[in-house]
Amino acid sequence: MNTWKNSTTKERIKRLKQEKDAVILAHYYTPSEVQEVADYVGDSFYLSKLASTLPQKVLCYCGVYFMGESAKALNPQKTVLMPDLTADCPMAHMVNLEQLNQLRHQYDDLAVVCYINSTATVKTYADVCVTSSNAVNIVKSLPNEHIFFIPDQHLGSYIAKQVPEKHIILNDGYCPIHHKITAEGILSQKNAHKDALVLVHPECPASVVELADYVGSTSGILDYAKTSNKKEFIIATEDGILYELKKENPDKVFYPATENQICPDMKKITLEKILSALETMEPTMEMEDSFIEASKQPLLRMLELSK
Ligand code: 13P
Ligand code: SF4
């Protein structure tokens, strides 16, 4: 979109937000121009907590499908506008329900711990949800010894290392974007930028996590870069985070760990789609009451345990 068209679209979005009593929430992986028009930008945990505290009747959620489902489940009385309902996270579906049922029979005390990056249907099978920013603490705090962690094998194996006292059983899901970040990529960037620190999202494979100076959620990575007195960083997560990293730290330099760390689904959210959603009040996230009730229980438990 050209700059002139961009700025009139932004003006119209701003006007419509007021007219429709709407607020725009965006994940750090959405395109820069989306983050620019958002009222709040954050990681999955921040956004899921925040939505319930906002007075506006309409939440315009710039993120993927499971994020909209969580926002709707926690705020059923609000209209949840999704600028692109086809923006979906492939990992959210990667759960082996057969294995889950078999493990429930095998271990009396099994806790099914579900990464928030999962569909609402998957959440109905879970005891508690976690995000990458609270997963280790929540798993530590559970009384259960046997944990089936779904869907992300990499976040699961990171937690298993941090909480060795528990028996953590992994499911074989993964985020296709983080999964293809390699140790070789990091080492070659380290070779080129000897002073740079390596900041890694726990959705990356263990071989990448091992090379990290810091491992954390998107907001954890942002906080770390901001408070560090170092000037150069290698970033092993989706490239959308670079917008906020550069904005917050104009004196620092950030190198992506590999080429094309891009989530095509997050990039489906555009200014035109936000504008159209606010104009037409469509598409919206719709869920049956009983489905909301079942899928929100593990989310509520997460919010309770992370207080
Ligand atoms: P966080 O924002 O919780 O770090 O999640 C990363 C992610 O993959 C969201 O899709
Ligand atoms: Fe899913 Fe990965 Fe995209 Fe996040 S970055 S929405 S986990 S595919």
Side-chain angles (χ1 to χ4, degrees):
M1 211 196 281
N2 65 40
T3 326
W4 172 80
K5 197 168 169 215
N6 234 339
S7 62
T8 42
T9 306
K10 283 181 185 166
E11 276 310 308
R12 288 168 70 195
I13 290 175
K14 210 164 151 193
R15 261 203 319 274
L16 278 165
K17 266 195 319 187
Q18 285 194 326
E19 260 173 48
K20 307 277 171 110
D21 191 24
V23 61
I24 301 181
L25 310 180
H27 191 271
Y28 289 125
Y29 296 164
T30 55
S32 314
E33 62 272 23
V34 170
Q35 297 188 45
E36 270 168 27
V37 296
D39 298 288
Y40 301 94
V41 184
D43 72 355
S44 310
F45 183 55
Y46 170 76
L47 293 175
S48 61
K49 258 193 334 185
L50 177 81
S52 316
T53 67
L54 300 171
Q56 288 86 353
K57 285 204 284 286
V58 179
L59 305 174
C60 178
Y61 208 115
C62 302
V64 289
Y65 198 88
F66 76 79
M67 295 181 167
E69 283 182 320
S70 300
K72 183 68 185 175
L74 293 170
N75 304 277
Q77 73 294 354
K78 297 201 184 204
T79 300
V80 177
L81 275 179
M82 299 292 292
D84 189 330
L85 266 181
T86 74
D88 195 10
C89 169
M91 178 167 72
H93 303 265
M94 293 182 194
V95 174
N96 184 339
L97 291 177
E98 230 171 83
Q99 187 186 6
L100 189 152
N101 289 328
Q102 186 241 311
L103 289 168
R104 285 257 189 233
H105 282 106
Q106 194 176 341
Y107 298 108
D108 284 348
D109 81 324
L110 187 82
V112 176
V113 178
C114 180
Y115 191 21
I116 199 165
N117 295 28
S118 52
T119 64
T121 304
V122 164
K123 288 185 178 80
T124 64
Y125 293 87
D127 297 299
V128 62
C129 280
V130 296
T131 70
S132 49
S133 57
N134 60 25
V136 169
N137 286 340
I138 289 188
V139 169
K140 256 189 200 157
S141 75
L142 294 175
N144 318 57
E145 183 194 346
H146 303 286
I147 311 276
F148 184 38
F149 189 82
I150 54 173
D152 187 12
Q153 58 180 287
H154 298 310
L155 180 58
S157 78
Y158 173 70
I159 298 167
K161 286 211 182 79
Q162 305 300 309
V163 194
E165 65 275 23
K166 306 258 179 198
H167 173 214
I168 301 199
I169 305 154
L170 302 176
N171 168 79
D172 61 7
Y174 57 90
C175 159
I177 289 80
H178 290 85
H179 189 66
K180 70 176 174 38
I181 299 179
T182 60
E184 291 73 41
I186 306 267
L187 291 171
S188 120
Q189 284 290 44
K190 268 213 84 94
N191 205 24
H193 312 286
K194 300 240 179 326
D195 285 339
L197 293 184
V198 179
L199 314 188
V200 171
H201 195 282
E203 286 177 22
C204 292
S207 56
V208 171
V209 170
E210 269 167 29
L211 298 172
D213 294 294
Y214 172 78
V215 183
S217 70
T218 47
S219 51
I221 289 175
L222 280 154
D223 289 346
Y224 189 92
K226 197 170 175 182
T227 50
S228 168
N229 52 17
K230 292 279 188 164
K231 294 281 179 223
E232 291 177 274
F233 303 88
I234 296 162
I235 304 298
T237 191
E238 213 273 351
D239 286 349
I241 197 174
L242 296 170
Y243 169 74
E244 185 76 13
L245 279 169
K246 288 177 186 165
K247 192 173 103 185
E248 289 284 309
N249 308 281
D251 58 327
K252 299 184 179 176
V253 191
F254 301 95
Y255 311 104
T258 41
E259 275 176 21
N260 280 326
Q261 302 175 154
I262 293 171
C263 174
D265 283 274
M266 287 284 190
K267 303 306 184 231
K268 285 183 177 174
I269 315 300
T270 62
L271 289 184
E272 289 96 335
K273 288 176 190 170
I274 296 173
L275 179 61
S276 156
L278 288 168
E279 267 167 355
T280 61
M281 296 301 278
E282 274 178 356
T284 54
M285 175 57 68
E286 300 299 336
M287 294 163 79
E288 296 280 332
D289 289 351
S290 56
F291 188 39
I292 286 182
E293 209 35 53
S295 66
K296 86 169 175 196
Q297 295 313 319
L299 286 168
L300 292 176
R301 192 154 180 226
M302 169 184 82
L303 294 174
E304 189 54 40
L305 288 175
S306 53
K307 264 182 193 161

